């Protein structure tokens, strides 16, 4: 089953692809990340999900989108020894 979207933060519509994956419970691999991540990803990393009625939502950028708990996020870097801020490292598991 093709359930993996591969994106790079340099792509034009990466945020839309990420939002669709979150809503549809797909997995996303973000390739070639550097030492700094886009601030838009902070709500995704912190899993800032809230519930309205029986539906879970997540704020992504300026939008509130439906959140599917099957969503998974993976990072890949070409850096041999990446160093991330402690608040980012603590949110990843």
């Amino acid at each position: 089953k093709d359930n993996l979207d591969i994106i790079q933060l340099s792509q034009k519509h990466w945020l839309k692809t990420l939002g669709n994956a979150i809503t549809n419970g797909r997995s996303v691999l973000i390739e070639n990340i550097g030492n700094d991540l886009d601030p838009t990803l902070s709500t995704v990393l912190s899993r800032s999900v809230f519930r309205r009625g029986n539906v879970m939502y997540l704020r992504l950028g300026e939008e509130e989108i439906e959140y599917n708990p099957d969503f998974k996020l993976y990072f890949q870097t070409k850096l041999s020894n990446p160093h991330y801020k402690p608040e980012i490292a603590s949110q990843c598991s």
Side-chain angles (χ1 to χ4, degrees), residues 1-71:
K1 188 174 172 180
D2 189 21
N3 196 28
L4 178 66
D5 295 327
I6 301 172
I7 60 175
Q8 294 181 8
L9 298 181
S10 60
Q11 288 177 333
K12 207 171 201 173
H13 300 289
W14 69 267
L15 193 59
K16 182 175 181 163
T17 302
L18 180 63
N20 287 337
I22 292 170
T23 299
N24 296 315
R26 296 175 55 83
S27 297
V28 173
L29 171 65
I30 301 179
E31 292 184 313
N32 301 330
I33 61 168
N35 280 326
D36 295 316
L37 296 176
D38 190 293
T40 309
L41 294 171
S42 64
T43 57
V44 179
L45 291 176
S46 64
R47 300 173 188 95
S48 299
V49 177
F50 59 94
R51 188 178 292 273
R52 273 198 201 129
N54 292 332
V55 181
M56 295 191 301
Y57 290 91
L58 176 80
R59 178 170 282 285
L60 183 64
E62 300 295 318
E63 293 184 71
E64 291 179 356
I65 60 172
E66 282 190 41
Y67 176 82
N68 185 319
D70 293 331
F71 167 73

Side-chain angles (χ1 to χ4, degrees), residues 32-35 76-84:
N32 301 330
I33 61 168
N35 280 326
Q76 181 269 330
T77 184
K78 289 185 178 180
L79 301 174
S80 59
N81 190 16
H83 180 73
Y84 298 102

